[in-house]
Amino acid sequence: MRHRTMTAAFLAAGLLVGLAACGGDDDDATEPAGADDTASDDTAADASGDEATDGGESAARGGTLKLGIIQDLSSWDPSQAHVGHRLQPYQAPYDTLILREPDGTLSPMLATSWEYTDDSRTELSLDLRTDVTFSDGAAFDADAVVANIEHFMADPGPQVGQSSSIESVSAVDADTVAITLSEPNPAMEYFLSQALGLMGSPASLGTDEMDRTPVGTGPYVLVAGESVVGSQYVFEARDGYWNPDLQKWDRIELRLLSDATARINAVTTGEVDATLVDATTFDQAKGAGLDDLIYTVDVQGVLIFDRDGTIVPALAEPKVRQAINYAFDRENLLQQLAAGQGEVTSQFFGTSTAGYTPELDTAYSYDPEQAKALMAEAGYADGFTMDMPVVPGISDTIMTFVAQQLGDIGITVNQVPVQIADYQGELGSGKFPAAWFSLGQLPAWSSYDFVVSPDALYNPFDTTTPEEEALVERMRLGGDDGDAAAKELGQYLVDEAWFAWWYRPAQLYFYDGSKVSVEAQDGMAVPAIYNYTPAG
């Protein structure tokens, strides 16, 4: 059993921001010194790779967009970028190789087209734009892409796992890059629209200066004199940007508002134009007449780690794990913990992913008597005891429900206090047989890679089975059979009760519709920076 590092994905940011997991974040945010396997098929990108308008004359723009963000950044270095709501700030100064549209489809950005050039799908070729520069004046080219990807791999950040299958990257010529994979990775194109795809100026990569000041090809540049670490970051539209259609604002101000009350006060008084609220402030936001985006991104429930019974033998029994699923009153948990905002589910894969099957949302009903019967059939009529972590002052209420409902079927939960800074590491250490958690629902392969894979942070006992491995090998090759295998894996995980999911909580994003129009972003708790346009 290996101890996972804290650089894999997804901390339960719900622990930090009122149970809103926000697409997967970790707790290492300090001051600068997170859909389906939507990767396009081999030819889809080629048809849409037309060169955008060159920098120069800008499209009509609004004035200043003011956004409330909930966590600070550890660094502006793109290798330290995250997913979820913490990807949004990086989108102002940086472009990605591939653009992820609001509905999750992939489109050209710095790469005009891409395709796998071999039947094994381990050689990915990208054709690049030839009219792009970094904000320091350096040219964007294939060598710059190589430098960024190699830096991403060499300077591990929260999303270093996105590069784990990359064997090498090379410049074929000035505007062509070849990425060689050690094995097929259906999520690679998706990753190139995320942290792995952010492109910084090679001269600045890894420097102390880049920790403080981003240097990218993106639509905006940081105004250092008006930016204050831990308070706000101010950006201005960059002159000569290659795609002025993406520059919808003259300025963007990102204001750090980690407290839920501060966020609701800021958006209702006009201090910010848009921000994420939580269940405790939802009614106040609705009462203020603000416009809203309400959609699901995450899934919450209990991760059952010890499926081989290493420290709690009872958990090796599928019937015991099924009993745990029947023990939870999902509808009541949704009402009590998320103010009823969301939808119950028993499955891991999200609604926009290849692994999603609607019927699995209701696979487990609330049935304590059925749970007790299964416990007895498995030989545990008298129950058993297991440790589970609790973060004092933050997850106490959640764990009260967990302990009560598992107690009703004979499972005694011993709550072990864990500090929030240690929570993710403790879950990956193999110390606990199960834990409450909140995870972002990423594309099917990414979700597998971070939670189900024997190398995943959230599979600390390296659990695998021949049935699961066979399905994963089919998923790895992608295509229609890969999608079918993802659905079969989702069914398998539910039938074998590897987890006990409760619900997908709604992301509650509110904005002043008189100033700004906003479009939700699939797979992100907050919209991408490109999804905000001036009202009207």
Side-chain angles (χ1 to χ4, degrees), residues 134 141-154 169-171 177 198-203 205:
F134 292 95
D141 56 16
D143 288 337
V145 175
V146 172
N148 272 270
I149 293 178
E150 289 183 343
H151 172 64
F152 190 93
M153 298 167 67
V169 56
S170 60
V177 169
L198 295 168
M199 294 288 109
S201 176
L205 293 174

Side-chain angles (χ1 to χ4, degrees), residues 37 121 184-187 349 354-355 443-449 452 468-490 493:
D37 288 325
R121 295 180 67 85
N185 186 335
F349 291 127
W445 182 263
S446 300
S447 296
Y448 156 77
D449 205 28
V452 180
E468 174 250 332
E469 290 176 349
L471 291 170
V472 168
E473 286 309 305
R474 288 170 53 199
M475 287 176 63
R476 191 184 302 279
L477 294 177
D480 291 342
D481 186 60
D483 289 349
K487 291 184 183 298
E488 293 175 43
L489 178 61
L493 296 176

